[in-house]
Amino acid sequence: TGIAYKIRHRRTLVNYCLKMAKPELTDKKIVESVRESLEKEVKILLPVAHQCLPTIMKYDVTGDRPYYVCTFHPGKTFDDFTRSEHRLDVNQSFFTVSLLISVLDYLHQEGRPHCDIHTKNLMIHEDVFRFGLLLIDFGSGHRETDSDSYTKNRGLPFVKDTEDKGHFQQTVRRSDANASFKHADFRALGNLLATMAAHFFVDGSVAQKKACLVFCRDLEHGSIDDWSVARDRLLGVVDPLRKISLLDRLFLDEQGHRAAIPLPVSNSVFVGEASLAIINTATHQRLRTLAQLSFCDWRFPGAIHTRFEHALGVFHLVHKALGYLCQDNLFRDSYSFEELKGCLLAGLLHDVGHYPLAHVVEQFAAGGRL
């Protein structure tokens, strides 16, 4: 019912896109439906500004032939792109998916979920670094600030939540549906990327391609519903062992050098700026005076190490354990870098509240006699 034309300004020769109802339409109800859809798009797009969104130049959605004029993108739809022989390498793929996450995050912050993301509603050019991409067709989109308390539940039914599917094409209360509309954009992005999988990360490693498929799956299944998490996961696609690399940076000092503390069992325990900031506190240094094995040295003279040495050893083992566990995709995707960092540093801190004489006096503490 709608049609888009490429038009050119006579004086500046700049190309624009004219979107309007098809000229051959005669049914007033259909024309009115197109007018409502174009009016909704104008209201959604007019106040926003993002490199991946059309900019409205001129519009009239009240006349017999409603229309608007917006920026023109020289590329093709993702749907046409999948039929071409063109493929995107790792850098191009990362740039493209980053743009998608960026524009959807922006729309959600502005209270304007798209609700209809698929391969025909995205424009992309082979020279993606130059022309980027364009998200189009906001006829199914929504504005949280719309004065009308009710809206029609449109878009793609297969990406909606189970409960939301039951209200497809029905009029729903806008405030109740806002969250589900946003969730649908996450799911739709996952479906879109899965559809484009054969065209993205074509020169990537097996680990990168596998990480990409897991990323798509988690988006589709609704496991990812925060754009900051989506960005972090995308970085994990480009560099599947990124979190291990970030953990390793914690073992560098301000000059980028590695420092180590020698231990009898672990040989050398590597430390860095973050760990030394903890080790050098009075609270942690107190562990030097606490025996790890209470009075065991009375029977075994060599059992004289302290809680301080023990904490360093645990720190060392936690680092090795995380390095091993991070080889597993599921483990990496289940925990953020901050959580892994917290686990690592917890190895240093797990004994800071310990009593003198180790566990010998705990029975007295439990009875309130300490």
Side-chain angles (χ1 to χ4, degrees):
T1 55
I3 190 169
Y5 296 98
K6 175 185 176 182
I7 61 176
R8 178 174 294 180
H9 196 284
R10 289 179 178 176
R11 186 176 65 256
T12 64
L13 301 182
V14 175
N15 293 325
Y16 294 97
C17 175
L18 167 65
K19 188 170 183 180
M20 60 184 293
K22 285 185 176 180
E24 62 268 24
L25 291 179
T26 57
D27 189 312
K28 292 184 178 180
K29 288 185 178 181
I30 296 179
V31 174
E32 176 62 18
S33 175
V34 178
R35 187 199 67 77
E36 291 178 356
S37 181
L38 293 176
E39 182 180 24
K40 177 185 284 188
E41 290 196 62
V42 169
K43 287 182 177 180
I44 289 176
L45 291 171
L46 200 59
V48 299
H50 191 281
Q51 61 179 320
C52 298
L53 295 176
T55 300
I56 303 292
M57 305 296 184
K58 186 178 180 180
Y59 65 94
D60 182 0
V61 292
T62 60
D64 294 335
R65 289 297 172 187
Y67 75 92
Y68 68 79
V69 177
C70 68
T71 46
F72 171 79
H73 191 280
K76 59 186 74 173
T77 66
F78 272 39
D79 189 52
D80 291 333
F81 192 84
T82 59
R83 298 190 183 97
S84 70
E85 296 181 358
H86 194 74
R87 303 290 187 270
L88 300 181
D89 61 25
V90 170
N91 291 329
Q92 292 171 321
S93 301
F94 175 73
F95 179 71
T96 301
V97 181
S98 294
L99 288 179
L100 282 170
I101 292 175
S102 172
V103 66
L104 292 173
D105 186 14
Y106 173 76
L107 286 171
H108 285 194
Q109 289 184 38
E110 295 296 314
R112 286 165 163 78
H114 188 278
C115 301
D116 197 26
I117 300 167
H118 54 77
T119 55
K120 293 183 179 180
N121 284 345
L122 275 159
M123 307 290 295
I124 188 172
H125 193 275
E126 292 180 359
D127 189 354
V128 66
F129 289 129
R130 180 182 178 186
F131 296 105
L133 54 86
L134 195 71
L135 179 60
I136 60 175
D137 198 351
F138 284 76
S140 297
H142 296 274
R143 291 183 302 136
E144 293 180 5
T145 56
D146 197 307
S147 57
D148 190 346
S149 299
Y150 293 89
T151 184
K152 198 168 185 179
N153 188 347
R154 300 174 63 184
L156 300 173
F158 64 88
V159 299
K160 295 182 179 295
D161 296 333
T162 303
E163 181 179 350
D164 200 28
K165 288 178 181 178
H167 302 294
F168 181 61
Q169 295 290 19
Q170 296 180 10
T171 299
V172 295
R173 186 180 292 274
R174 191 179 300 273
S175 58
D176 295 338
N178 283 332
S180 63
F181 290 157
K182 291 181 178 179
H183 289 163
D185 279 352
F186 284 96
R187 293 173 182 266
L189 177 61
N191 179 265
L192 173 79
L193 296 180
T195 303
M196 301 288 293
H199 297 260
F200 282 6
F201 299 100
V202 292
D203 62 339
S205 65
V206 173
Q208 287 174 320
K209 293 179 180 180
K210 184 176 180 180
C212 182
L213 291 176
V214 174
F215 178 48
C216 296
R217 181 202 64 196
D218 288 348
L219 281 167
E220 282 189 280
H221 293 175
S223 302
I224 301 175
D225 59 0
D226 183 278
W227 293 117
S228 62
V229 174
R231 288 190 181 90
D232 185 67
R233 289 290 301 276
L234 176 60
L235 290 173
V237 171
V238 178
D239 180 8
L241 299 182
R242 170 177 167 269
K243 291 177 181 176
I244 298 178
S245 301
L246 292 175
L247 283 177
D248 287 341
R249 293 179 190 176
L250 299 177
F251 294 86
L252 303 177
D253 60 21
E254 294 178 349
Q255 288 74 39
H257 301 142
R258 279 183 177 268
I261 299 175
L263 280 185
V265 176
S266 304
N267 295 321
S268 293
V269 176
F270 289 106
V271 292
E273 188 177 355
S275 52
L276 287 174
I278 294 174
I279 293 171
N280 291 331
T281 62
T283 301
H284 198 271
Q285 289 294 314
R286 168 182 170 271
L287 299 179
R288 290 180 179 272
T289 65
L290 302 183
Q292 168 72 16
L293 300 175
S294 300
F295 305 109
C296 288
D297 60 304
W298 290 12
R299 178 66 178 85
F300 304 98
I304 56 174
H305 68 280
T306 65
R307 292 275 165 185
F308 182 79
E309 296 169 83
H310 169 67
L312 290 176
V314 171
F315 175 67
H316 173 71
L317 290 177
V318 171
H319 182 218
K320 289 182 65 176
L322 290 177
Y324 176 79
L325 291 170
C326 281
Q327 302 292 329
D328 180 72
N329 291 333
L330 179 60
F331 182 85
R332 284 199 311 270
D333 296 338
S334 298
Y335 300 98
S336 68
F337 167 70
E338 290 301 321
E339 289 174 318
L340 298 181
K341 178 182 176 181
C343 177
L344 178 63
L345 296 181
L348 279 177
L349 294 167
H350 78 282
D351 264 353
V352 291
H354 217 291
Y355 300 112
L357 306 176
H359 300 286
V360 174
V361 298
E362 285 182 352
Q363 55 184 317
F364 299 101
R369 285 173 282 180
L370 280 182

Coordinates of all heavy atoms in Angstrom, one line a residue, residues 114-122 135 137 139-142 152-162 164-169 180-181 183-192 195 220:
H114 N 11.2 -0.1 17.8 CA 10.8 -0.3 16.4 C 9.7 -1.3 16.2 O 8.8 -1.1 15.4 CB 12.1 -0.6 15.6 CG 11.9 -0.6 14.1 ND1 11.3 -1.7 13.5 CD2 12.2 0.3 13.2 CE1 11.3 -1.4 12.2 NE2 11.8 -0.2 12.0
C115 N 9.9 -2.5 16.8 CA 8.9 -3.6 16.8 C 8.7 -4.3 15.5 O 7.8 -5.1 15.4 CB 7.5 -3.0 17.2 SG 7.5 -2.3 18.9
D116 N 9.6 -4.0 14.5 CA 9.4 -4.7 13.2 C 10.7 -4.8 12.5 O 10.9 -4.5 11.3 CB 8.4 -3.9 12.3 CG 7.9 -4.7 11.2 OD1 7.8 -5.9 11.3 OD2 7.5 -4.1 10.2
I117 N 11.7 -5.3 13.2 CA 13.1 -5.4 12.7 C 13.2 -6.7 11.9 O 13.1 -7.8 12.5 CB 14.1 -5.3 13.8 CG1 14.0 -4.0 14.6 CG2 15.6 -5.5 13.3 CD1 14.8 -4.0 15.9
H118 N 13.5 -6.6 10.6 CA 13.7 -7.7 9.8 C 14.5 -7.3 8.6 O 14.9 -6.1 8.4 CB 12.4 -8.4 9.4 CG 11.4 -7.6 8.7 ND1 11.5 -7.2 7.4 CD2 10.3 -7.0 9.2 CE1 10.5 -6.4 7.1 NE2 9.7 -6.3 8.1
T119 N 14.9 -8.2 7.7 CA 15.8 -8.0 6.6 C 15.4 -7.0 5.6 O 16.2 -6.4 4.9 CB 16.2 -9.3 5.9 OG1 15.0 -9.9 5.5 CG2 16.9 -10.2 6.9
K120 N 14.0 -6.7 5.5 CA 13.5 -5.8 4.6 C 13.4 -4.4 5.1 O 13.1 -3.4 4.4 CB 12.1 -6.2 4.1 CG 12.2 -7.5 3.2 CD 10.8 -7.9 2.7 CE 10.9 -9.2 1.9 NZ 9.5 -9.5 1.3
N121 N 13.7 -4.2 6.4 CA 13.6 -2.9 7.0 C 14.9 -2.3 7.4 O 15.0 -1.4 8.2 CB 12.7 -2.9 8.3 CG 11.2 -3.0 7.9 OD1 10.9 -2.7 6.8 ND2 10.4 -3.4 8.8
L122 N 16.0 -2.8 6.8 CA 17.3 -2.3 7.1 C 18.1 -2.2 5.7 O 18.0 -3.1 4.9 CB 18.1 -3.3 8.0 CG 17.9 -3.1 9.5 CD1 18.3 -4.3 10.3 CD2 18.7 -1.9 10.0
L135 N 18.0 2.2 9.4 CA 16.8 1.4 9.9 C 15.6 2.2 9.4 O 15.4 3.4 9.7 CB 16.8 1.4 11.4 CG 15.7 0.7 12.1 CD1 15.6 -0.8 11.7 CD2 15.9 0.7 13.6
D137 N 11.1 2.1 8.1 CA 9.8 1.6 8.2 C 9.4 1.5 9.7 O 9.5 0.4 10.3 CB 9.6 0.2 7.5 CG 8.1 -0.1 7.3 OD1 7.3 0.6 7.9 OD2 7.9 -1.1 6.7
G139 N 6.3 2.1 10.8 CA 4.9 2.0 10.9 C 4.3 1.1 12.0 O 3.2 1.3 12.4
S140 N 5.1 0.2 12.5 CA 4.7 -0.6 13.6 C 5.3 -0.2 14.9 O 5.2 -0.8 16.0 CB 5.1 -2.1 13.4 OG 4.5 -2.6 12.2
G141 N 6.1 0.9 14.9 CA 6.8 1.4 16.1 C 5.8 2.1 17.1 O 4.6 2.2 16.8
H142 N 6.4 2.4 18.2 CA 5.6 3.0 19.3 C 6.3 4.1 20.0 O 7.5 4.1 20.0 CB 5.2 1.9 20.3 CG 4.3 0.8 19.7 ND1 3.0 0.9 19.6 CD2 4.7 -0.4 19.2 CE1 2.5 -0.2 19.1 NE2 3.5 -1.0 18.8
K152 N -2.0 -0.4 18.9 CA -2.2 -1.7 18.3 C -0.9 -2.5 18.3 O 0.2 -1.9 18.1 CB -2.7 -1.5 16.8 CG -3.3 -2.8 16.2 CD -4.0 -2.5 14.9 CE -4.7 -3.8 14.4 NZ -5.4 -3.5 13.1
N153 N -1.0 -3.7 18.7 CA 0.1 -4.6 18.9 C 0.5 -5.2 17.5 O -0.1 -6.2 17.1 CB -0.2 -5.7 19.9 CG 1.1 -6.5 20.2 OD1 2.1 -6.5 19.5 ND2 1.0 -7.3 21.2
R154 N 1.4 -4.5 16.8 CA 1.8 -4.9 15.5 C 3.2 -5.4 15.5 O 3.8 -5.7 16.5 CB 1.7 -3.7 14.5 CG 0.3 -3.2 14.5 CD 0.2 -1.9 13.6 NE 0.6 -2.2 12.2 CZ 0.7 -1.2 11.3 NH1 0.4 0.0 11.6 NH2 1.0 -1.5 10.1
G155 N 3.8 -5.6 14.3 CA 5.2 -6.1 14.2 C 5.3 -7.6 13.8 O 4.4 -8.1 13.1
L156 N 6.3 -8.2 14.3 CA 6.6 -9.6 14.0 C 6.1 -10.5 15.1 O 6.6 -10.4 16.2 CB 8.1 -9.8 13.8 CG 8.8 -9.0 12.7 CD1 10.3 -9.2 12.7 CD2 8.2 -9.5 11.3
P157 N 5.1 -11.3 14.9 CA 4.6 -12.2 16.0 C 5.5 -13.2 16.5 O 5.5 -13.5 17.7 CB 3.3 -12.8 15.3 CG 3.6 -12.8 13.8 CD 4.4 -11.6 13.6
F158 N 6.4 -13.7 15.7 CA 7.3 -14.8 16.1 C 8.4 -14.3 17.1 O 9.1 -15.2 17.7 CB 7.9 -15.6 15.0 CG 8.8 -14.8 14.1 CD1 10.1 -14.7 14.3 CD2 8.3 -14.1 13.0 CE1 11.0 -14.0 13.5 CE2 9.1 -13.4 12.1 CZ 10.5 -13.3 12.4
V159 N 8.6 -13.0 17.2 CA 9.7 -12.6 18.1 C 9.1 -12.0 19.4 O 9.8 -11.5 20.2 CB 10.6 -11.5 17.4 CG1 11.3 -12.0 16.2 CG2 9.8 -10.2 17.1
K160 N 7.8 -12.1 19.5 CA 7.1 -11.6 20.7 C 7.2 -12.6 21.9 O 7.3 -13.8 21.6 CB 5.7 -11.2 20.4 CG 5.6 -10.0 19.4 CD 4.1 -9.6 19.2 CE 4.1 -8.4 18.2 NZ 4.7 -7.2 18.8
D161 N 7.0 -12.1 23.1 CA 6.9 -12.9 24.2 C 5.7 -13.8 24.1 O 4.7 -13.4 23.4 CB 6.9 -12.1 25.5 CG 8.1 -11.3 25.8 OD1 9.2 -11.7 25.3 OD2 8.1 -10.3 26.4
T162 N 5.7 -14.9 24.8 CA 4.5 -15.9 24.7 C 3.2 -15.2 25.0 O 2.2 -15.3 24.3 CB 4.8 -17.0 25.7 OG1 6.0 -17.7 25.4 CG2 3.6 -18.0 25.6
D164 N 2.6 -12.0 24.9 CA 2.4 -10.9 24.0 C 1.8 -11.4 22.7 O 1.1 -10.7 22.0 CB 3.7 -10.1 23.7 CG 3.5 -8.8 23.2 OD1 2.4 -8.2 23.4 OD2 4.3 -8.3 22.4
K165 N 2.2 -12.7 22.3 CA 1.7 -13.2 21.0 C 0.2 -13.3 21.1 O -0.5 -13.2 20.0 CB 2.3 -14.6 20.8 CG 3.8 -14.6 20.4 CD 4.3 -16.0 20.2 CE 5.8 -16.0 19.9 NZ 6.4 -17.3 19.8
G166 N -0.4 -13.6 22.2 CA -1.8 -13.7 22.3 C -2.6 -12.4 22.1 O -3.8 -12.4 21.8
H167 N -1.8 -11.3 22.1 CA -2.5 -10.0 21.9 C -2.1 -9.4 20.6 O -2.3 -8.2 20.3 CB -2.1 -9.0 23.0 CG -2.5 -9.5 24.4 ND1 -3.8 -9.6 24.8 CD2 -1.7 -9.9 25.4 CE1 -3.8 -10.1 26.0 NE2 -2.6 -10.2 26.4
F168 N -1.5 -10.2 19.7 CA -1.0 -9.7 18.4 C -2.2 -9.1 17.6 O -3.3 -9.7 17.5 CB -0.3 -10.8 17.6 CG 0.2 -10.4 16.3 CD1 1.2 -9.4 16.2 CD2 -0.3 -11.0 15.1 CE1 1.7 -9.0 15.0 CE2 0.2 -10.6 13.9 CZ 1.2 -9.6 13.8
Q169 N -2.0 -8.0 17.0 CA -2.9 -7.2 16.2 C -4.1 -6.7 17.0 O -5.1 -6.3 16.4 CB -3.4 -8.1 15.0 CG -2.4 -8.4 14.0 CD -1.9 -7.2 13.2 OE1 -2.1 -6.0 13.6 NE2 -1.3 -7.4 12.0
S180 N 7.3 -5.3 26.6 CA 7.3 -6.4 25.7 C 7.7 -5.9 24.3 O 8.3 -6.6 23.5 CB 5.9 -7.0 25.6 OG 4.9 -6.1 25.2
F181 N 7.4 -4.6 24.0 CA 7.8 -4.1 22.7 C 9.3 -4.0 22.6 O 9.9 -4.3 21.5 CB 7.2 -2.7 22.5 CG 5.7 -2.7 22.3 CD1 5.0 -1.5 22.5 CD2 5.1 -3.8 21.8 CE1 3.6 -1.5 22.3 CE2 3.7 -3.7 21.6 CZ 3.0 -2.6 21.9
H183 N 11.5 -5.9 24.4 CA 12.0 -7.2 24.3 C 11.9 -7.8 22.9 O 12.8 -8.5 22.5 CB 11.2 -8.1 25.3 CG 11.4 -7.8 26.7 ND1 10.5 -8.3 27.7 CD2 12.4 -7.2 27.3 CE1 11.0 -7.9 28.9 NE2 12.1 -7.2 28.7
A184 N 10.9 -7.4 22.2 CA 10.7 -7.9 20.8 C 11.9 -7.4 19.9 O 12.3 -8.2 19.0 CB 9.4 -7.5 20.2
D185 N 12.4 -6.2 20.2 CA 13.5 -5.7 19.4 C 14.8 -6.6 19.6 O 15.5 -6.8 18.7 CB 13.8 -4.3 19.7 CG 12.8 -3.3 19.0 OD1 12.1 -3.8 18.2 OD2 12.8 -2.1 19.3
F186 N 15.0 -7.0 20.9 CA 16.2 -7.8 21.2 C 16.0 -9.2 20.4 O 17.0 -9.6 19.8 CB 16.3 -8.1 22.7 CG 16.8 -7.0 23.5 CD1 16.0 -6.1 24.1 CD2 18.2 -6.8 23.6 CE1 16.5 -5.0 24.9 CE2 18.7 -5.7 24.3 CZ 17.8 -4.8 25.0
R187 N 14.8 -9.8 20.5 CA 14.6 -11.1 19.9 C 14.7 -10.9 18.3 O 15.3 -11.8 17.7 CB 13.2 -11.6 20.2 CG 13.1 -12.0 21.7 CD 11.6 -12.3 22.0 NE 11.4 -12.7 23.4 CZ 11.5 -13.9 23.9 NH1 11.8 -14.9 23.1 NH2 11.3 -14.1 25.2
A188 N 14.2 -9.8 17.8 CA 14.2 -9.6 16.4 C 15.7 -9.4 15.9 O 16.0 -9.9 14.8 CB 13.4 -8.4 16.0
L189 N 16.5 -8.7 16.7 CA 17.9 -8.6 16.3 C 18.6 -9.9 16.2 O 19.4 -10.2 15.3 CB 18.6 -7.6 17.3 CG 20.1 -7.4 17.1 CD1 20.3 -6.8 15.7 CD2 20.7 -6.6 18.2
G190 N 18.3 -10.8 17.2 CA 18.9 -12.1 17.2 C 18.5 -12.9 15.9 O 19.3 -13.5 15.3
N191 N 17.2 -12.8 15.6 CA 16.7 -13.5 14.4 C 17.4 -12.9 13.1 O 17.7 -13.7 12.2 CB 15.2 -13.4 14.3 CG 14.6 -14.0 13.1 OD1 14.4 -13.4 12.1 ND2 14.4 -15.3 13.2
L192 N 17.5 -11.6 13.1 CA 18.1 -10.9 11.9 C 19.6 -11.4 11.8 O 20.0 -11.7 10.7 CB 18.0 -9.4 12.1 CG 18.8 -8.6 11.1 CD1 18.0 -8.5 9.8 CD2 19.1 -7.2 11.6
T195 N 19.9 -14.9 10.6 CA 19.5 -14.9 9.1 C 20.7 -14.5 8.3 O 21.0 -15.0 7.2 CB 18.3 -14.0 8.8 OG1 17.2 -14.4 9.6 CG2 18.0 -14.1 7.3
E220 N 17.7 -14.2 20.5 CA 16.4 -14.8 20.1 C 15.6 -15.4 21.3 O 14.4 -15.2 21.3 CB 16.7 -15.9 19.1 CG 17.0 -15.3 17.7 CD 17.0 -16.5 16.6 OE1 18.0 -17.2 16.6 OE2 16.0 -16.6 15.9

